[in-house]
Each structure stands twice: as structure tokens, then as C-alpha cells.
Amino acid sequence: MRSTLARGTAAVVMALAAALSGPPPSMAADADASSTNRPRVDIKELPVPPTVPQDGVCTHPTGCVSADWGGIGTPGPARDPKYVFLGITYAGAPASGPASVYSGNQVLVVRTDGTTFPNGEAWKCVTCGVSYGSEIDTSQLVYPPANELPDRKRVLVSNGILECGADGATYAVTDPRCTPANTRITPIYWNDRPLFQRDEQGVNNGREWRLSPDGEHFLFNVVDFRVLTIVPYVGRLAYDQEMGRYHLTNVSVLQNPAAAYQPMAVENGNRLRFNQAGMVGEPRGWTADGRETLGIQSLNSDSMDAWATDLATGASRPITRNAHYTDPMAMSPDGKWLLAEEVNGSGRLDFISGMPGIPPLTAQLSTAPYVSGIRNAGNRRFFSPWLVDPATGRGFQINAGSDPNWNAAADPAWLADSTAVVYTENLACGANPTPHRCADSTEPGGRNSRLMIARFPDFEPSAPVTPAPVSDRTWGRPYDPNTPPQQPKPVPTGTYTLRGKVQGSATVRIANNSAGTQTIGIAVEYRNYSDDGTHIIDGTEKVERVSNSVLGCTPGTATALACVTWTEDLKLSGRHTGTKRTGPEGFTLGPSAMLRNDFQAVGTLTTTIDGTTYSQPANGS
């Protein structure tokens, strides 16, 4: 299964707390940019509305932000570097009167240059008091990110397009003439239904959308929780004058069952080759020129990295290297940098993801949802912002040494001149349930979210890349609402050889179910294997779908919800030394890591790198 399940509550991949110690310096150096070449970083908070008082009554004339975890939502890009959009949750508004509109989920435009709007505040609510139909889903105002269209007079908010003016899109939302009375939100439809609206089975009609820099192409996905799949799509945003709404047209499924787009190619009988194509997984955004989509897939075993995939050819290239797990990300408008929120450096996934140099062979069993699930622990997200060079994958954590109880949240948003990036942080413990697990928030009003801006003084202001003309014909398959997307078949049952790019080889034994539609076991033996000449792998590993009554995986359980057992006995040599080993009974995870915010494992998995040992989180901790 190529798809991954990841991100937040919708992604059903939660887990529990772990140690916050970082990786050993020698390992961090593999992903870090040279300290002599690192750009300077200056991180500060951006202003937001005052926090609602503890009595829950807001008396501020333009509203109060909720103190809850996630009360400050996702920033979104504007076309002018003096602004950024922001999803937010207001609380404590009066039941009537002018201030009553500052309630619930809304979208702000926030000034980033230290100045204010005519009312003396650094923010303006662009959705408060605006009339819109029931097709607009207010739950989506906070996330996905709002995004200004190229004409600078329309903004993607929730599942619709906002515009100001009596006769169409006349004013920018920052213009004082743009008021609630002359603002409207026009819904976006797909499959003759509002975007995001769920069907009778609970399957959403598109989610987590991202607008291309060209303002015309729309990237999104559909999750089916019944079988734990994510299917990515891309389409063109078009206005239907007759219906008075937007539609997604010329939609493609960004999957293709053809062998050219599968992660493993079989050549010369039994020779395997890792094929860098079609690596979308869960779509996360766009490159600056709009030619490629961003997504997450495995580059190393048990680690999820960022990939860029050409919309026309399907050719993929890795953007990060051994991020352990990354998901929220944004490319700078000039295309020179990626801000990726990575788990690397937190210590959370080192026990399973920390050994470099292992090819993603076992990922073909679809271990990704299980590994992805470990990267959360309830409200604690182990994300930190990393500035990454897309050409090399090398980068560094821009807030290294900051309070680990404040975690980055999806998504970051660059200023239009590529000199700074804005992101939200949430207190890891949320509103600190009893018993307290970390210190109370010291933010104004005790709120549990904050809006950060990281400025890079060494970056000269630059113009955005001009988006390239993009055809609606993609490497994927045309979408047919009457035909479910065709899932690719796995590599057939058999024994194969994968040669290292530099030296050595791996013998790979694959076992599929009787129908040949799903892999149920992969066993690998490495002999002096290396793709880069600096990390050399020897030993064996195996993953297999199993039943385990302790973890709720009994015979008859749906295969997508089966338990997975890792059996590892690997040795690393070369630039680093280390081992990755399981205990006598292996290491087994069940669906609770994905579905119930409950990390429960049977057995142990431990990785040691250069003398530092990383162990798994404790069950129920």
C-alpha cells in the first residue's frame, strides 16, 4: 500500500509521551547544515487578540482568542510580505451586539511589520460577521491554511473562496473598504457536493487541501477510515457562473497502478530496484513553481521524509533526509528553502527511525501508519521547525534549545518575500489536565497556543518564482466518480536481490496473501549493504502482519487493522556504529497506535548509535 495515514486528529495516528532528549551530536550532523553556513535566525511572537478571561467573558470590542490548546490555528500565506493569514478560535463573545460576531472559528489577517490596521490592532478578522451558506464548513476555518489567490482580492478560507466588493472581487481583504456587509464566501464543490462534506459512510469529500502558487490547481486527499487509506487528488479550481459556486474540474487521482510508478521495480527476473516515482503518499503542498506536489513517503526504513513529485511525469525526488517523521511543511516562495516540521531531534522516534542507511524495504508492507502513529503523544506533538535546503536535504532546527514543552503545529507559512516564516506552537500538555505533566503556560491569559515568526536576517527579500504553466493531464489517472481508484499490486511473492548503490546487497523474501493483493510479510538479509558508502548495513530484519489478542488483533480482524511485528538484528558500521535489535518475541504494534491515541506494544525494539541507546516509549505512559 503506497498510501500513508498521518497528521493530527483526522489522521488517526496518535501515540504517547517519550523522553525529550535529542540525538547524539554525531547523528544530528547527518541532517544538519554546516554551522558555518547556517543563516541567522531571529524568532519572536506575532500579536494576536487578547486571551479570553478565566471567567469566560470577553469584553474586548474585537474579541478574545480561546485559551485552549489549538486556539490559535494555522497560518496561511499572503501575497504581500506585510501580512499573513491565521485561523483562530474566538471565545467569550456576548450573545448580541457588535462584538457577538467574534465567536468560534474564524480567519484573521495579521500584520507582520509591526504596524496596525486603522482600528489600532495588528489583526483584522476577515470572516467575522460575514454571511455564507450552510455549505461552508466552519470547522475548516482554523485548518487547512487560508491562502490568498494571485489576484490579491480572493482568499481560500475553509471550503470556499472569500471576496469583497458589491460587484465581485473588488477590494483586498486588508482594504478598510472590505467589510462584513460586502464580503461573501462562495463554496467549492466536488462530486456535486461541498468539498469536505462526508457521505453516509463517513468518508469525507476531500480534506487537507492546498492551493497551488498558480491559484488554479488544487491538491487534496480523501481518507477512508474503514480500510485506513489516503488517496491523493489534484484538480483545477473553476467558477461556475450558472450555479454561482466553484467546482473542482479535470480531477486526477495521483496514483497509477503502472509499474513505472511503483516504489519497487522488478528487473532481470529477481532484481529489485528502488524506484523514485509517484512518491506522494499524503499530499502536503507544492513547490514554489507549482510543477511538483509535496508529499511524505519513506526514504529510509521506518522514517517518513518529504518528497517532491513532478505533476506531469511522476518523477520524485527526496527533499528531506531521515526526518524520522515530517508532515507540516512549506516551500519558500523563491523556491530556495523548505520549512519542514520534523520529529528528528526530539528523541521520540530514534528507537525505530534513528539508524541511517537502511533502505525502505519493509515499508512495502505498509508500516508507515504504525510508525507515523508513534510521533504523537496525545496533545504532545514532537514537531520542531527545520530549515532545509531542498537540493541537499541538509538543514537544522531553527529553534534548537527552546522549551520542548512547546511544539510546532501545522502548517508553516512563508512571508511573500521569503525572508521569514510563520508557525504556530501549542503547549504540549494542552490545558494541563490533572495530574500536570508540564509547567503551566506563561503566555498572556495562560493561553496554550502562540504565533511565532522566524526571521532570517541573511536572506535578502526576493520575488516569488513565477508559476509554470501546468497541464491538467498528470502522471496519475483521470478521476471517475463511478470507479474506485485502482490500487497497485505489490511485488509478487518470491525471493529477490537488491544491490546497494555503492556496495553489498540484500536478499529480500516477500510473502503476499493468496489473492496477491497485499503483502503480509517481508524478510531481508543485508550483506555489506551501502547506498552512500558511509553507512554500511549487515544483519537481518523482518516485518509481518500477525494476530495478537493482547493488542486486539485476533483472527478475522480486517487486514488493514492487523498487528505488525518487527524482528530486527541489524548492525551499522562506517561513519557511525550501532545496532537495531528486537527482543526474543519481536516488537509488535496494533491499531491502537493509529486509532485510539494509545501506544501499546508487545516486545521491545532498541537502537544504539555511537554508544547512545534509544528505547521505545513505555506502554500507557
Side-chain angles (χ1 to χ4, degrees), residues 379-511:
N379 279 345
R380 183 181 291 278
R381 307 290 197 255
F382 290 86
F383 286 134
S384 294
W386 283 65
L387 186 69
V388 179
D389 178 352
T392 65
R394 298 180 69 83
F396 69 99
Q397 183 180 334
I398 64 174
N399 66 342
S402 62
D403 185 349
N405 283 325
W406 285 91
N407 305 151
D411 269 27
W414 284 85
L415 299 194
D417 63 2
S418 298
T419 61
V421 68
V422 178
Y423 59 97
T424 302
E425 289 185 334
N426 290 317
L427 185 64
C429 300
N432 248 343
T434 301
H436 281 24
R437 297 180 181 177
C438 59
D440 287 325
S441 171
T442 58
E443 291 298 304
R447 58 177 159 83
N448 290 279
S449 302
R450 60 191 186 188
L451 185 64
M452 314 302 292
I453 183 167
R455 299 185 187 276
F456 304 101
D458 298 324
F459 291 1
E460 293 291 334
S462 57
V465 174
T466 300
V470 174
S471 171
D472 292 346
R473 294 176 60 89
T474 74
W475 64 272
R477 302 292 292 269
Y479 171 64
D480 180 354
N482 299 313
T483 304
Q486 184 178 351
Q487 296 297 315
K489 290 186 177 181
V491 175
T493 296
T495 300
Y496 302 89
T497 298
L498 176 71
R499 289 184 175 176
K501 295 178 181 178
V502 175
Q503 64 186 53
S505 64
T507 299
V508 186
R509 294 177 174 85
I510 296 175

Side-chain angles (χ1 to χ4, degrees), residues 275 296 338 373 450 498 516:
N275 184 38
I296 54 173
L338 179 79
R450 60 191 186 188
L498 176 71

Side-chain angles (χ1 to χ4, degrees), residues 87-333:
I88 197 170
T89 301
Y90 280 102
S96 60
S100 64
V101 300
Y102 299 103
S103 177
N105 296 335
Q106 304 289 350
V107 175
L108 311 182
V109 58
V110 179
R111 297 201 70 118
T112 63
D113 59 357
T115 65
T116 61
F117 287 97
N119 66 358
E121 295 179 330
W123 58 86
K124 173 186 177 181
C125 184
V126 300
T127 56
C128 295
V130 174
S131 297
Y132 45 80
S134 61
E135 304 103 319
I136 301 302
D137 194 309
T138 58
S139 71
Q140 303 298 288
L141 288 169
V142 176
Y143 176 90
N147 197 326
E148 191 171 29
L149 275 69
D151 60 16
R152 302 191 180 192
K153 295 179 180 178
R154 293 177 295 159
V155 183
L156 169 67
V157 297
S158 181
N159 58 339
I161 302 295
L162 179 147
E163 61 181 29
C164 292
D167 300 309
T170 306
Y171 309 123
V173 294
T174 54
D175 192 313
R177 293 172 292 180
C178 182
T179 67
N182 64 6
T183 301
R184 70 205 137 269
I185 304 176
T186 304
I188 301 170
Y189 271 61
W190 181 50
N191 290 327
D192 293 323
R193 290 187 290 127
L195 191 67
F196 188 71
Q197 187 181 84
R198 289 181 172 88
D199 64 15
E200 297 79 8
Q201 287 75 42
V203 179
N204 57 312
N205 189 43
R207 64 185 279 273
E208 298 210 354
W209 42 85
R210 301 292 187 275
L211 185 67
S212 168
D214 68 11
E216 299 177 0
H217 288 88
F218 209 80
L219 182 68
F220 61 103
N221 66 76
V222 170
V223 171
D224 189 336
F225 290 101
R226 298 169 298 177
V227 290
L228 297 184
T229 60
I230 289 181
V231 179
Y233 297 86
V234 66
R236 179 178 290 273
L237 187 65
Y239 183 68
D240 187 325
Q241 188 74 37
E242 181 179 351
M243 300 295 292
R245 63 196 189 199
Y246 289 87
H247 286 268
L248 296 179
T249 63
N250 298 339
V251 174
S252 291
V253 183
L254 291 182
Q255 291 178 344
N256 195 317
Y261 305 104
Q262 305 315 308
M264 287 291 169
V266 179
E267 301 174 334
N268 301 324
N270 71 336
R271 185 76 53 80
L272 282 183
R273 176 177 58 83
F274 185 46
N275 184 38
Q276 295 189 359
M279 303 293 283
V280 176
E282 185 182 26
R284 307 311 309 150
W286 298 83
T287 55
D289 62 5
R291 289 180 181 271
E292 298 168 292
T293 60
L294 300 177
I296 54 173
Q297 283 284 11
S298 293
L299 175 64
N300 300 283
S301 181
D302 298 325
S303 179
M304 300 295 290
D305 278 287
W307 292 76
T309 299
D310 189 284
L311 202 56
T313 68
S316 299
R317 57 189 176 97
I319 302 296
T320 62
R321 306 289 193 279
N322 204 32
H324 293 195
Y325 181 88
T326 187
D327 175 346
M329 64 186 72
M331 188 77 75
S332 62

